[in-house]
Amino acid sequence: MIGLTRERKPQVKKQTIQQEKLFEGKVFKNHRALCEEFGWEYINSTNSKKAQLKVLSQYCELHKQRQKIIIGKIHESVGQTPNSSRMTESKLIKLGVQYNILRIMLSDLNKEDIEILNTGQGELLHTNHFVMPTLQKATGLVGDYYYVSRHHQEQIAEIEEMPVEHVYDFFNCTHKKITRYITESLEDLKSKRLLTYSETKKLTFSHIVLDDSVMNRLKQTKKAVTKRVYSSSFATKGQLAFIMKCEREIMDKFGLTTFNQIYSRSKKERKRFFSLCVKQIRDNAERYARVSNDESIAQLKDLHKYAKCYEMTFVPNWIQKEMQRVNKQLSNEQSSLIELLNVHTFEGISHLPVGNDVRQYVNDKNVDSLKRNVQRRHDNAKGDTCRTSEDYVSNGNILIDNYVSRSCKEVREKLEEHGLIEKPDFNVHDSDNVVTVTIEEVERYVA
């Protein structure tokens, strides 16, 4: 209203620092203790606290742990904040993930596309599909065996000799975090107009071969040996909606409010849940196709399995030009990795080194971040939960080192020894997809 004076914000006095009081590892229990140490006026105001921490950050790195303020590395050039302080660890991880997503999109082009690209053309839109495990591994967020360990959590608990509740909690929290890195990185690339994307499903279908010879044997013996063949495609909008409808119905039977809650259940329950989802889809596909007038849904009667994936559309030479520009700048740098990360020549993905180094850098940063998250969950835990256990942090760190870190070399042997993965076998076995069918099964299949 006219005539009323606005309430003025508290004025923050210019702060001074006694440098001799600063050393790496020093801990202040709260902001009031920090002010008492340096003789600053304590004002219980967000603006005042931010201004005081900004002054202190010019002299050293700062880390916060709940109310505690911890002094990190002391800056050599006092009074100047390095550029890297503007880049949080989460932002650096996402920049590395973005770089690797662009790199694998180009590497996934077929021979004809690459030839077109090398001629200076490649202006047409191109579409790639990537399942989540491929993106997680190819971007460096996890090691080679994260996916298989996540789907055998009870066996991992036995192998590592730790409570299965610790393993459930670890994989549930970790998967949410690394999935968020992927989705946020894709959103950033979309905002830079380097690609557009949407979530879809990769569908695998199973068909039995019914040629004339098989049908003749069935007429004679009522039973015949034939082969099962597989094909794959990506879901249409109608198929996606129908799959979600079936999943929702099975979720209600299991008492789930969100889809990801199934991953905190036992392996037996998870297996039963997904098999019931597939059965629900197959059994109702043709009926729902007639009701919805969508013939594509009827194809789901032969569904074998399905998986979440991303459909990414882009113009190849846009990404090639961006990558060439970034790589040229990075190849000219003679500085160390950390110094390179502090050089803000380009906006976005260009803060990171090229190729495998980016994957390893992302992995190292993610491992450090996940370990702090495990400690934070333990510190904030209340009541009688697995997170309050004395072994929770050490068990979490073991799981990170063994199944998230790319540097662990003994994991494959351990998983092979316990039968979770097979030793490499490069021979093709025709018997793998041989099935025996009866005439009754064929009649139902044809019908």
Short mmCIF file of all heavy atoms in Angstrom, two decimals, residues 96-116:
data_model
loop_
_atom_site.label_atom_id
_atom_site.label_comp_id
_atom_site.label_asym_id
_atom_site.label_seq_id
_atom_site.Cartn_x
_atom_site.Cartn_y
_atom_site.Cartn_z
N GLY A 96 29.89 -35.35 -17.51
CA GLY A 96 30.56 -36.53 -18.04
C GLY A 96 29.59 -37.51 -18.65
O GLY A 96 29.86 -38.11 -19.70
N VAL A 97 28.43 -37.67 -18.02
CA VAL A 97 27.40 -38.57 -18.56
C VAL A 97 26.92 -38.04 -19.90
O VAL A 97 26.75 -38.80 -20.86
CB VAL A 97 26.22 -38.69 -17.55
CG1 VAL A 97 25.04 -39.41 -18.19
CG2 VAL A 97 26.67 -39.45 -16.30
N GLN A 98 26.71 -36.73 -20.00
CA GLN A 98 26.27 -36.13 -21.27
C GLN A 98 27.28 -36.39 -22.38
O GLN A 98 26.92 -36.77 -23.50
CB GLN A 98 26.08 -34.63 -21.11
CG GLN A 98 24.89 -34.23 -20.25
CD GLN A 98 24.85 -32.73 -20.03
OE1 GLN A 98 25.00 -31.96 -20.96
NE2 GLN A 98 24.66 -32.33 -18.79
N TYR A 99 28.55 -36.17 -22.07
CA TYR A 99 29.60 -36.38 -23.08
C TYR A 99 29.56 -37.82 -23.58
O TYR A 99 29.62 -38.09 -24.78
CB TYR A 99 30.97 -36.06 -22.47
CG TYR A 99 32.12 -36.25 -23.44
CD1 TYR A 99 32.58 -35.18 -24.20
CD2 TYR A 99 32.72 -37.49 -23.61
CE1 TYR A 99 33.62 -35.35 -25.11
CE2 TYR A 99 33.75 -37.67 -24.52
CZ TYR A 99 34.20 -36.59 -25.26
OH TYR A 99 35.22 -36.76 -26.16
N ASN A 100 29.46 -38.77 -22.66
CA ASN A 100 29.48 -40.18 -23.04
C ASN A 100 28.21 -40.60 -23.79
O ASN A 100 28.26 -41.48 -24.65
CB ASN A 100 29.68 -41.05 -21.79
CG ASN A 100 31.11 -41.02 -21.31
OD1 ASN A 100 32.03 -40.96 -22.10
ND2 ASN A 100 31.29 -41.02 -20.01
N ILE A 101 27.06 -39.99 -23.47
CA ILE A 101 25.84 -40.29 -24.22
C ILE A 101 26.02 -39.88 -25.68
O ILE A 101 25.68 -40.63 -26.60
CB ILE A 101 24.63 -39.57 -23.59
CG1 ILE A 101 24.23 -40.25 -22.28
CG2 ILE A 101 23.44 -39.56 -24.55
CD1 ILE A 101 23.14 -39.54 -21.51
N LEU A 102 26.56 -38.68 -25.91
CA LEU A 102 26.79 -38.23 -27.29
C LEU A 102 27.78 -39.15 -28.00
O LEU A 102 27.62 -39.47 -29.18
CB LEU A 102 27.31 -36.80 -27.29
CG LEU A 102 26.36 -35.73 -26.72
CD1 LEU A 102 26.96 -34.35 -26.90
CD2 LEU A 102 24.99 -35.80 -27.39
N ARG A 103 28.82 -39.57 -27.28
CA ARG A 103 29.84 -40.42 -27.89
C ARG A 103 29.26 -41.77 -28.30
O ARG A 103 29.52 -42.26 -29.41
CB ARG A 103 30.99 -40.63 -26.90
CG ARG A 103 32.16 -41.43 -27.45
CD ARG A 103 33.27 -41.54 -26.40
NE ARG A 103 32.76 -42.09 -25.16
CZ ARG A 103 32.51 -43.38 -24.94
NH1 ARG A 103 32.72 -44.25 -25.91
NH2 ARG A 103 32.06 -43.79 -23.79
N ILE A 104 28.46 -42.40 -27.44
CA ILE A 104 27.92 -43.72 -27.79
C ILE A 104 26.84 -43.61 -28.86
O ILE A 104 26.62 -44.55 -29.62
CB ILE A 104 27.38 -44.48 -26.55
CG1 ILE A 104 26.21 -43.73 -25.91
CG2 ILE A 104 28.47 -44.73 -25.55
CD1 ILE A 104 25.55 -44.49 -24.79
N MET A 105 26.17 -42.46 -28.95
CA MET A 105 25.18 -42.28 -30.02
C MET A 105 25.86 -42.27 -31.39
O MET A 105 25.37 -42.86 -32.34
CB MET A 105 24.39 -41.00 -29.80
CG MET A 105 23.38 -41.12 -28.67
SD MET A 105 22.66 -39.55 -28.23
CE MET A 105 21.73 -39.17 -29.70
N LEU A 106 27.02 -41.62 -31.47
CA LEU A 106 27.77 -41.62 -32.73
C LEU A 106 28.36 -42.99 -33.02
O LEU A 106 28.37 -43.45 -34.16
CB LEU A 106 28.88 -40.57 -32.69
CG LEU A 106 28.45 -39.10 -32.81
CD1 LEU A 106 29.67 -38.20 -32.82
CD2 LEU A 106 27.63 -38.87 -34.07
N SER A 107 28.87 -43.65 -31.98
CA SER A 107 29.51 -44.95 -32.19
C SER A 107 28.49 -46.03 -32.56
O SER A 107 28.84 -47.07 -33.11
CB SER A 107 30.27 -45.38 -30.93
OG SER A 107 29.38 -45.59 -29.85
N ASP A 108 27.20 -45.79 -32.28
CA ASP A 108 26.16 -46.77 -32.57
C ASP A 108 25.62 -46.64 -34.00
O ASP A 108 24.77 -47.42 -34.41
CB ASP A 108 25.01 -46.62 -31.58
CG ASP A 108 24.11 -47.85 -31.53
OD1 ASP A 108 24.63 -48.93 -31.23
OD2 ASP A 108 22.91 -47.71 -31.81
N LEU A 109 26.12 -45.67 -34.75
CA LEU A 109 25.68 -45.51 -36.14
C LEU A 109 26.14 -46.70 -36.97
O LEU A 109 27.22 -47.24 -36.75
CB LEU A 109 26.25 -44.22 -36.74
CG LEU A 109 25.78 -42.90 -36.13
CD1 LEU A 109 26.55 -41.75 -36.75
CD2 LEU A 109 24.28 -42.72 -36.33
N ASN A 110 25.33 -47.11 -37.95
CA ASN A 110 25.74 -48.21 -38.82
C ASN A 110 26.70 -47.72 -39.90
O ASN A 110 26.95 -46.52 -40.03
CB ASN A 110 24.52 -48.91 -39.43
CG ASN A 110 23.67 -47.96 -40.27
OD1 ASN A 110 24.19 -47.10 -40.97
ND2 ASN A 110 22.35 -48.13 -40.19
N LYS A 111 27.22 -48.64 -40.68
CA LYS A 111 28.25 -48.32 -41.67
C LYS A 111 27.77 -47.30 -42.68
O LYS A 111 28.49 -46.35 -43.03
CB LYS A 111 28.69 -49.60 -42.38
CG LYS A 111 29.84 -49.41 -43.35
CD LYS A 111 30.24 -50.74 -43.98
CE LYS A 111 31.39 -50.55 -44.98
NZ LYS A 111 31.79 -51.84 -45.61
N GLU A 112 26.52 -47.44 -43.15
CA GLU A 112 25.99 -46.51 -44.15
C GLU A 112 25.87 -45.10 -43.58
O GLU A 112 26.19 -44.11 -44.25
CB GLU A 112 24.62 -46.99 -44.64
CG GLU A 112 24.65 -48.24 -45.48
CD GLU A 112 24.88 -49.51 -44.66
OE1 GLU A 112 24.73 -49.45 -43.43
OE2 GLU A 112 25.23 -50.56 -45.26
N ASP A 113 25.41 -45.01 -42.31
CA ASP A 113 25.27 -43.69 -41.68
C ASP A 113 26.63 -43.01 -41.53
O ASP A 113 26.75 -41.80 -41.71
CB ASP A 113 24.61 -43.83 -40.31
CG ASP A 113 23.15 -44.25 -40.42
OD1 ASP A 113 22.49 -43.82 -41.38
OD2 ASP A 113 22.69 -45.02 -39.57
N ILE A 114 27.65 -43.80 -41.17
CA ILE A 114 28.99 -43.23 -40.98
C ILE A 114 29.54 -42.71 -42.30
O ILE A 114 30.16 -41.64 -42.36
CB ILE A 114 29.93 -44.28 -40.37
CG1 ILE A 114 29.49 -44.61 -38.93
CG2 ILE A 114 31.37 -43.79 -40.37
CD1 ILE A 114 30.23 -45.76 -38.31
N GLU A 115 29.30 -43.47 -43.39
CA GLU A 115 29.77 -43.02 -44.71
C GLU A 115 29.10 -41.71 -45.11
O GLU A 115 29.75 -40.80 -45.63
CB GLU A 115 29.47 -44.10 -45.75
CG GLU A 115 30.38 -45.34 -45.61
CD GLU A 115 30.00 -46.44 -46.58
OE1 GLU A 115 28.99 -46.28 -47.29
OE2 GLU A 115 30.72 -47.46 -46.63
N ILE A 116 27.80 -41.60 -44.84
CA ILE A 116 27.08 -40.35 -45.13
C ILE A 116 27.64 -39.21 -44.29
O ILE A 116 27.85 -38.09 -44.78
CB ILE A 116 25.57 -40.53 -44.86
CG1 ILE A 116 24.98 -41.52 -45.86
CG2 ILE A 116 24.84 -39.19 -44.94
CD1 ILE A 116 23.53 -41.89 -45.56
#
